[in-house]
Amino acid sequence: MKEQEVNKARAVYYKIFSGFFVYLTDQSKYFELLSLLDIVKTNPLDNASGEAFTNIANKLQKDSNVVLLQEYDDIFHNPHTTQVRTTASFYDEQVESGRKRVQMLDFLAKTKIRRDEKNYSEYEDSIGFIFAVLSELANLLANGEEQYKTVQHCIFADVLNEFVDEISRTIYEHEKADIFKDVIVALLSFMEFERLYLEVSRAKPKEYKKQVDEKETISKEEMERRARNKAAKAAGAKKQDDVFITYDVESDI
C-alpha cells in the first residue's frame, strides 16, 4: 500500500513539472496545474520545495496562463534572449535528435505510450515529454502494473538524470527566469528524492570535446521542427493532453 501511495505522489510531481515544460495553451490544463500546485505546496518534500511551490502559486495568475506562457517563450523560444535547449541529446552530444532520442524511442517501444506526432512536435527526449512519460509510468505502477519498474528506472537513470542538473542550472541562470527559478528549486529537490528512491547516483558533468557553433547544431530536421512549433503555437494547437496515444498492444520489458 505504501509503495502505491509513493507512486501516486511521484506521478503528481512529474505531471506538475511536465506542465511547466510543455507549452500549455489549453486553459483547462493550466487550471489543473494550479490545483496540483495547491496540493504539493501544503505537502512538500522539504522546506525548500514547499517555499518554491508557494512562490510559484503566488506568481501565477489564477484566471490566465499569459504570464507563464510569456516566461516560457522568453526562456525557450525568444530569439532576443538566451534560448535554452530542452532535449537530452543536446546536453549529451550538443546536437538535436541524437543518441538520447534513440534511447527514448527504444524505451517507449516497451510501453503503451507513444508521442502524438500530429499535435506534439517536441522530440521524445525533450524534458517535458520525459516528465509526462514518467508521470504516466508512475500511475501505471500505482495501479499494479509492476512490469514498468525496469523501464521507468532506465528512463530516469539513462536519460533524465544525465542532463537534468545541467539544464536546471542553465534555466536558473537565465536572464528572464522568475517563475522558473522556483520551478528549478522544486525540481532539484524532487530529483534528489528520485535518486534515493530509484537508487541512482548523480551523473557526472559532461565534458565536451569542442564548442560547436550554434548554426552547426541545427539540422534541417530541427529547423523544420521549429517551424512546425511556431505554426502550432500561432494556431493555439499544442496541448498537453495530446502528448500520448495509448495502444492495447505492448512489448514485454
Side-chain angles (χ1 to χ4, degrees), residues 99-114 124-125 129-130 133-134 137 147-148 150-160 162 250-253:
R99 291 176 302 204
K100 293 300 178 182
R101 185 187 181 196
V102 174
Q103 278 188 308
M104 277 299 296
L105 288 168
D106 288 342
F107 293 143
L108 290 173
K110 298 175 171 64
T111 76
K112 303 174 181 180
I113 303 166
R114 298 294 182 271
E124 287 81 359
D125 64 333
F129 187 79
I130 293 169
V133 169
L134 288 170
L137 291 175
Q147 69 270 30
Y148 292 114
T150 299
V151 73
Q152 65 130 20
H153 186 279
C154 290
I155 290 173
F156 180 84
D158 297 343
V159 185
L160 180 59
E162 292 290 310
E250 66 188 67
S251 303
D252 293 333
I253 294 173

Side-chain angles (χ1 to χ4, degrees), residues 3 8 49 58 68 77 86 89 91-92 122 128 136-137 179 185 219 232-233:
E3 190 78 7
K8 285 182 179 179
S49 62
N58 290 337
L68 178 60
H77 295 298
T86 62
S89 290
Y91 294 91
D92 180 48
E122 301 291 342
E136 183 73 7
L137 291 175
I179 296 167
V185 171
S219 64
K233 284 199 298 177

Side-chain angles (χ1 to χ4, degrees), residues 42-84:
T42 56
N43 299 280
L45 290 172
D46 52 29
N47 291 336
S49 62
E51 183 179 348
F53 281 130
T54 299
N55 290 341
I56 294 167
N58 290 337
K59 290 175 182 178
L60 292 177
Q61 294 175 299
K62 305 305 178 187
D63 59 350
S64 171
N65 59 1
V66 171
V67 170
L68 178 60
L69 292 186
Q70 183 59 60
E71 187 167 325
Y72 182 100
D73 273 335
D74 286 340
I75 294 173
F76 301 109
H77 295 298
N78 190 338
H80 302 295
T81 64
T82 305
Q83 292 185 47
V84 176

Side-chain angles (χ1 to χ4, degrees), residues 12 32 34 44 63-64 68 71-72 87 98-99 103 127 131 146 164 170 179 183 193 196 202 219 230 232 241 245:
V12 169
E32 182 182 12
L34 294 180
D63 59 350
S64 171
L68 178 60
E71 187 167 325
Y72 182 100
T87 64
R99 291 176 302 204
Q103 278 188 308
I127 194 167
F131 287 148
E146 296 292 312
V164 69
T170 304
I179 296 167
V183 171
F193 170 83
L196 289 171
R202 182 189 298 273
S219 64
K230 186 175 181 180
D241 53 351
I245 299 176

